[in-house]
Amino acid sequence: MSILKSVISLGASVLMPIIFFIVGLLFRVKIGKAFEAALLVGVGFTGLNMVIDLLLNNLGPATNAMVKRFGVHLTVLDTGWANASQIGWSSALMPLAVFTFLLVNVLLFVVKFTKTMDIDIFNYWIFLVVGTVMYVASGSFVIAFVIMLLLFILMLKVADWTAPTIQKQFGMSGLSFPHLTNSPWVLLALLVNGIVDHIPGLNRVKLSPKQINKRFGVLGEPLVIGFILGILIGALAGFSAPKVMDLAVKVSASMLLLPKMVDILMEGLKIIRGAVEKVLKSKYPDREIFIGMDVALMAGDPSVMATGLLLIPITLLLAVILPGNRVLPMVDLSSIIFILPMMAAYLKKDLLRMLIAGTIMMVFILYIGTDVAGFYTAAAHMTGATVPTGTSQIISMNSAVTNPLGWLAIKVSQLLGNAF
């Protein structure tokens, strides 16, 4: 566990270039070209993380101020995805899971069960945190591990099924996204599409960023949309005029810079992916091959960012008015953008449909979070993860624990644990 944690602690900006450099050499890329591709990936991840930190570090104080200003008092504190990651990587399941996931993925690829080679090992924590909560719920290491492995295999297939649509909508050829936090919400996107398509008048409304830009000119530019949304959030937080303007400019900067960082990263990915595809196609000429990556690559899309920012005040309002909800949205308010990307692809980046689906999604997240908070808090105590002093229960809104599939897995593990 110590060795694995040391490797993981290098972070994506260091470890991913190393992985891509080695993969490049293995697939006959010249050493200079492999080094260039690896550096582009490293620079892309570094830039991506810098812009995400800029956004989250500025949205964090605004969302906290908004919570205090609205006077929201609930008993389950949202401590954020970083805390969930701490639970996952500190779990007793971790050492066996990491090696098993890698081995199973390779075997399933070789036998043509999946087209996806998932190299996004940093997000294994998403499976691990669900596995740890299942361990608490069932009292059984074996039950938790088996269900967690089945979830991983299922996500590889879902990544295969969703890849064509995502690639088309986001222009990310050759990539797929075996992401347990995002994938289950695709079904919600399909449901919302089906309902909206049958509502006269509403089914003719088109609000993609391109259409807004075409209709409103400069006011539809991502740069300006980010600025306007920054002003809205700053005003709701009760900031002074200078602080509102500062937040607006930084949100605007994030809207502009995130896609540019992804473009740099994609340059490196294309070099390695091209070499991998060339070699594998010679051995498997009839096979499609996807590289599994993090949905953060899509989070910088203007439709995703705009919807995520609008959902911040909507989520706070839902937390107040939903009967029976105990979750206090806090840390993950600013990272809602990372739950939306796969839905966005199926909603064709239409802001109205994304806002409808996103609002329904947050209702599910709040109620599921309320239901599983006891198990989640116990998992945090078991793994030594941070539980703020004076807090009775915690949850992470931006984790697979709070989506319907994660909830179902936890409930099934609980039933099996009680049965055996």
Side-chain angles (χ1 to χ4, degrees), residues 7 23 137 139 211 239 244 255 261 298:
V7 172
V23 170
Q211 287 157 331
F239 282 177
V244 168
M255 292 277 280
M261 295 304 104
M298 301 181 282

Side-chain angles (χ1 to χ4, degrees), residues 23 27 271-281 289 291:
V23 170
F27 285 89
I271 294 171
I272 302 300
R273 181 187 167 274
V276 170
E277 192 172 48
K278 184 179 178 181
V279 172
L280 291 181
K281 285 287 186 185
I289 298 153
I291 296 175

Side-chain angles (χ1 to χ4, degrees), residues 337-359:
I337 58 171
F338 300 110
I339 319 177
L340 296 168
M342 290 180 73
M343 275 207 309
Y346 282 83
L347 296 167
K348 298 181 180 178
K349 304 184 188 177
D350 185 275
L351 293 178
L352 176 61
R353 295 182 185 221
M354 287 178 66
L355 201 57
I356 293 170
T359 301

Side-chain angles (χ1 to χ4, degrees), residues 257-272:
L257 294 174
L258 265 176
K260 294 186 183 300
M261 295 304 104
V262 172
D263 286 344
I264 293 171
L265 192 152
M266 289 299 294
E267 281 187 55
L269 282 177
K270 285 176 183 176
I271 294 171
I272 302 300

Side-chain angles (χ1 to χ4, degrees), residues 91-336:
S91 172
L93 296 162
M94 189 269 281
L96 180 61
V98 171
F99 292 114
T100 304
F101 286 175
L102 290 169
L103 179 61
V104 166
N105 193 175
V106 171
L107 289 175
L108 294 180
F109 181 82
V110 170
V111 299
K112 300 184 180 182
F113 178 83
T114 181
K115 304 172 185 178
T116 295
M117 284 299 300
D118 183 15
I119 63 169
D120 184 28
I121 61 172
F122 299 99
N123 279 326
Y124 281 1
W125 71 264
I126 297 171
F127 296 96
L128 285 164
V129 71
V130 175
T132 308
V133 175
M134 288 192 292
Y135 189 6
V136 170
S138 66
S140 168
F141 182 98
V142 173
I143 290 172
F145 186 84
V146 169
I147 297 177
M148 182 179 64
L149 181 58
L150 291 174
L151 287 173
F152 177 74
I153 294 169
L154 175 61
M155 287 306 102
L156 291 176
K157 288 304 293 183
V158 171
D160 293 345
W161 295 329
T162 56
T165 300
I166 293 172
Q167 289 171 11
K168 179 181 177 182
Q169 290 295 324
F170 286 92
M172 294 186 168
S173 177
L175 299 187
S176 65
F177 300 89
H179 205 279
L180 185 58
T181 302
N182 263 241
S183 297
W185 299 117
V186 168
L187 292 176
L188 175 60
L190 294 171
L191 179 63
V192 168
N193 261 343
I195 293 171
V196 173
D197 283 342
H198 287 87
I199 300 177
L202 198 61
N203 56 10
R204 291 197 296 271
V205 177
K206 305 296 180 185
L207 283 178
S208 71
K210 284 184 179 179
Q211 287 157 331
I212 293 172
N213 181 247
K214 184 178 179 181
R215 189 165 187 175
F216 297 103
V218 69
L219 292 176
E221 291 284 350
L223 195 68
V224 179
I225 292 173
F227 185 78
I228 293 169
L229 291 174
I231 289 175
L232 172 65
I233 291 170
L236 289 171
F239 282 177
S240 63
K243 285 187 73 176
V244 168
M245 293 301 292
D246 181 62
L247 177 64
V249 170
K250 285 172 179 172
V251 172
S252 179
S254 301
M255 292 277 280
L256 179 68
L257 294 174
L258 265 176
K260 294 186 183 300
M261 295 304 104
V262 172
D263 286 344
I264 293 171
L265 192 152
M266 289 299 294
E267 281 187 55
L269 282 177
K270 285 176 183 176
I271 294 171
I272 302 300
R273 181 187 167 274
V276 170
E277 192 172 48
K278 184 179 178 181
V279 172
L280 291 181
K281 285 287 186 185
S282 65
K283 295 185 177 182
Y284 309 101
D286 58 341
R287 290 197 63 181
E288 213 172 6
I289 298 153
F290 303 141
I291 296 175
M293 292 292 287
D294 186 1
V295 295
L297 296 183
M298 301 181 282
D301 186 88
S303 66
V304 174
M305 289 196 69
T307 306
L309 293 171
L310 287 170
L311 282 172
I312 291 173
I314 290 172
T315 301
L316 275 175
L317 179 62
L318 289 171
V320 174
I321 66 174
L322 287 175
N325 169 59
R326 294 190 296 115
V327 173
L328 173 61
M330 185 70 77
V331 180
D332 272 339
L333 276 173
S334 53
S335 59
I336 292 174

